[in-house]
Amino acid sequence: MATVQDSSHIVPIRLGRGLWQALTERCKRTGETPTHVISAALAEALDLEHHTIYQVSTSGALVEGVYQGCVRIADILRHGDFGLGTFDGLDGEGILLDGTCWQASSNGSVHQASPEAKAPFWVVTHFQPDQVHTFTGVRNWADLTSRIDDLRPSANVFTAIRIRGHFKQINYRVACKSDPGTDLVSATSHQAVFNMQQMDCSLVGFWTPTFARTINVPGYHLHLLSDDHAHGGHVLDLEADVLTVELHTENQLVLALPDTPAFLEADLSGDPSASLAQAGGNHS
Ligand SMILES: [Zn+2]
């Protein structure tokens, strides 16, 4: 039996000749690394939903004020180790990083979310980067996102994004708890806005295709968690000298729709993208 070195996640295994040949041929043909091919195959065998986004509710429902928590954080964690979302009553911003779920509150504090906490909207995945890049001299949000635009394989698949590094400046907001039924634009009009300098952070989030605009926030959506777990929120703008940018292409989406009366009775027939852009903050 293979020995597993827990700290480094290295599994030394001996492959049979046939498997080895097939693996080599696959890597040659597609340009994938052996680690990627093996991880993907293992994730599928272990039912880990590799390349699958698991999402609770829709951005259109949020815009309509459907904020009532419907799924436990513990249940969301079964579907991913990485992602973003919010909490019952739009109470702050959620960050899921390396399997731990954090809640950033509008008073500026961050704490680990209770597994029993309920949430109205989350987007998660099992993050496994298929691209890793170093960006230097990142001037602002527009500069960062246009460089990621050049790396994304297509405008028609989802991309999970993890960014790590030291930020010279980072500007973010945290939604305030709101009464159910308050529409998203009104609810986020009194959000808390923060500006921090010289902070080590991870950013987690997604790029969503325009065609999915009634389901998720179209374009880039990133939440931050500082390395000391003291600060977190929804990213508006930033500046950094050196960043590690990792991308994970996602081509499957599992959508869990709430069975709450608020969701079942909401009118979700409209196009929420203008309201989402306004509520998301004007990225400068
Ligand atoms: Zn957000």
Side-chain angles (χ1 to χ4, degrees):
M1 190 187 140
T3 51
V4 177
Q5 294 168 22
D6 216 9
S7 57
S8 55
H9 301 181
I10 290 171
V11 186
I13 51 170
R14 183 178 297 278
L15 295 178
R17 190 183 166 86
L19 264 185
W20 175 256
Q21 264 175 2
L23 177 65
T24 312
E25 277 160 23
R26 164 72 80 83
C27 292
K28 208 185 274 177
R29 194 173 75 243
T30 64
E32 293 168 279
T33 63
T35 299
H36 183 257
V37 174
I38 292 167
S39 297
L42 201 53
E44 198 179 330
L46 298 175
D47 200 19
L48 272 187
E49 302 169 327
H50 191 67
H51 295 298
T52 297
I53 289 178
Y54 176 84
Q55 181 174 327
V56 174
S57 193
T58 69
S59 51
L62 271 193
V63 164
E64 292 300 319
V66 182
Y67 306 144
Q68 192 193 1
C70 57
V71 177
R72 294 184 322 140
I73 293 300
D75 294 323
I76 293 168
L77 290 174
R78 288 195 293 113
H79 298 277
D81 58 7
F82 172 98
L84 55 75
T86 187
F87 298 90
D88 187 47
L90 210 63
D91 188 11
E93 310 284 341
I95 305 106
L96 174 57
L97 180 64
D98 300 326
T100 304
C101 184
W102 302 89
Q103 182 171 7
S105 299
S106 55
N107 66 6
S109 70
V110 175
H111 63 273
Q112 210 172 317
S114 160
E116 296 307 315
K118 290 218 174 152
F121 178 82
W122 269 85
V123 187
V124 304
T125 189
H126 294 281
F127 190 80
Q128 187 153 49
D130 30 43
Q131 295 186 49
V132 181
H133 301 274
T134 301
F135 288 5
T136 56
V138 177
R139 298 190 307 278
N140 51 38
W141 174 267
D143 183 26
L144 174 75
T145 54
S146 76
R147 291 197 216 181
I148 301 175
D149 283 344
D150 295 338
L151 299 168
R152 283 187 295 101
S154 165
N156 298 330
V157 291
F158 296 76
T159 303
I161 303 161
R162 181 169 70 190
I163 300 173
R164 296 179 195 265
H166 179 80
F167 291 81
K168 283 161 90 170
Q169 190 143 204
I170 191 151
N171 188 243
Y172 58 97
R173 74 106 199 269
V174 180
C176 300
K177 192 164 187 183
S178 298
D179 293 327
T182 313
D183 68 85
L184 189 68
V185 171
S186 309
T188 52
S189 63
H190 54 88
Q191 63 197 1
V193 177
F194 301 89
N195 194 9
M196 299 292 293
Q197 273 95 37
Q198 311 298 344
M199 196 159 74
D200 293 319
C201 294
S202 291
L203 312 189
V204 308
F206 298 90
W207 184 87
T208 297
T210 307
F211 69 75
R213 64 188 174 276
T214 58
I215 294 170
N216 199 339
V217 180
Y220 292 94
H221 184 192
L222 296 171
H223 284 188
L224 82 93
L225 180 69
S226 62
D227 287 2
D228 61 7
H229 304 151
H231 305 278
H234 167 111
V235 179
L236 299 173
D237 201 7
L238 50 85
E239 188 185 351
D241 285 333
V242 185
L243 295 176
T244 302
V245 177
E246 298 169 287
L247 307 180
H248 176 189
T249 303
E250 311 271 9
N251 51 18
Q252 295 180 59
L253 175 67
V254 174
L255 192 56
L257 298 177
D259 57 3
T260 56
F263 182 86
L264 297 175
E265 287 157 23
D267 178 4
L268 304 180
S269 59
D271 179 349
S273 35
S275 299
L276 284 171
Q278 201 178 337
N282 292 322
H283 294 293
S284 47

